[in-house]
Amino acid sequence: MSSAAARALKFVSRAALSWKPTRRPQQTLAATVSRSGVGLHSGARVTATLIPAHAGEGRYFLVDGEEEARVAAEVGNAEPRSQLCTTLRRGEGGGPRVRTVEHLLSAMEALGVDNCRVEVSGGDEIPLLDGSAQEWVEAIRSAGLCAAEDTSGQNLEKLAPQINEPVYLQRDDCFIAAFPSSRIRISYGIDFPKVPAIGCRWFSTYLDANIYSSKIAPARTFCIFEEIEKMRGAGLIKGGSLENAMVCSMSGGWLNPPVRFEDEPCRHKILDLIGDFSLLAQNGNQGFPIAHIVAYKAGHALHTHFLCHLSGKITVDQEELAGQC
């Protein structure tokens, strides 16, 4: 990463990010809903139960129902070196953690579930389901949404982060940039030159609940067939299968067609980005900033590193970032 790219975030002015009233109340679920399935990396049978929460509480996880194991869905809890998923951990070292949160958080952010208690049982992972966010969208819609009330019975206005000047972070040819915009827009590029069936693609879209539900949520996670043995040797993707992930061979193309979209891998990267950027939220406010986000070959580490600095929690360390991405 060039020193100029590091400086681009290292000296972000406080004016770059502000919080804007939305004139809408914070929301929560109208009823409890749960889904069960296999954890991507553990392979364990796990259940996530989504429970309405008070306004101002935000989104948080409880592992095995223990209050002391509460982990807020905030960027300060994102593990910087989490492999092939987003992991949240409260505190340093051996604090409680929850893994593979990005698909559920993506659906909650896009559909406006601002406050939610998520109880996780059977393990420390969110169930992968079919590898997309489609089942989470269906679960949220079946439960319904309502205005959240605080402990005094009052509604709280929802605030949204807004980008006021361009900011970016780059590592080699991977980057994330945020530009001022009156609406949320996301443009994402991927490049898999050794996998012709995936190749180099871009997808760009505005974001609202309907667009997300039809164009982003159904896109499934994917992997390269030739890399599976190495990942499993590292103790990862024990729960991965042809039923919950798209698998593509460098020479043979997709092993479990049909794809839901011609550019499904690129759309899934946007799904992940929304889930990771939801971690900018605090106290029941919106997480995804009002901006045009442009990302190329970025992943979970670059997503959360960008947010950490944008929120003032860290400064950019070039060598550390290169090791994480």
Side-chain angles (χ1 to χ4, degrees), residues 103 106 128 130-135 137 203 211-222 244-246 259-272:
H103 299 174
S106 181
L128 183 61
D130 74 343
S132 75
Q134 187 165 255
E135 289 189 52
V137 169
F203 185 77
I211 291 173
Y212 178 85
S213 299
S214 62
K215 296 185 177 182
I216 303 300
R220 296 161 293 174
T221 193
F222 64 97
N244 57 29
M246 298 186 298
V259 293
R260 293 175 178 172
F261 308 98
E262 183 181 358
D263 50 8
E264 190 168 354
C266 198
R267 295 183 190 222
H268 186 80
K269 287 292 189 179
I270 291 180
L271 187 160
D272 282 345

Side-chain angles (χ1 to χ4, degrees), residues 83 228-236 238:
Q83 292 183 290
I228 290 177
E229 184 176 349
K230 179 181 178 181
M231 289 187 287
R232 286 196 165 152
L236 302 171
K238 295 178 182 177

Side-chain angles (χ1 to χ4, degrees), residues 67-188:
E67 287 293 339
E68 59 270 21
R70 178 170 172 161
V71 184
E74 297 177 359
V75 68
N77 288 330
E79 284 198 339
R81 299 182 186 276
S82 179
Q83 292 183 290
L84 299 180
C85 71
T86 298
T87 298
L88 301 176
R89 185 187 295 272
R90 194 186 70 207
E92 300 292 334
R97 74 172 185 179
V98 60
R99 297 186 290 169
T100 324
V101 299
E102 57 271 23
H103 299 174
L104 172 56
L105 288 177
S106 181
M108 289 200 288
E109 176 69 21
L111 270 63
V113 184
D114 307 309
N115 300 279
C116 187
R117 172 189 177 110
V118 182
E119 295 189 355
V120 184
S121 59
D124 64 357
E125 275 193 283
I126 301 300
L128 183 61
L129 304 179
D130 74 343
S132 75
Q134 187 165 255
E135 289 189 52
W136 292 121
V137 169
E138 293 169 357
I140 291 167
R141 288 190 163 160
S142 71
L145 296 174
C146 63
E149 296 180 347
D150 64 15
T151 54
S152 301
Q154 301 297 312
N155 299 138
L156 296 179
E157 183 179 16
K158 181 176 179 176
L159 304 178
Q162 181 170 351
I163 297 294
N164 301 312
E165 58 187 45
V167 291
Y168 72 95
L169 181 60
Q170 179 179 357
R171 200 277 298 180
D172 297 330
D173 62 343
C174 311
F175 68 83
I176 299 176
F179 301 95
S181 174
S182 60
R183 296 175 61 188
I184 294 176
R185 184 181 177 188
I186 306 169
S187 299
Y188 211 112

Side-chain angles (χ1 to χ4, degrees), residues 13-24:
S13 72
R14 292 187 178 182
L17 180 68
S18 61
W19 291 85
K20 173 184 177 181
T22 65
R23 299 182 181 178
R24 302 191 306 271

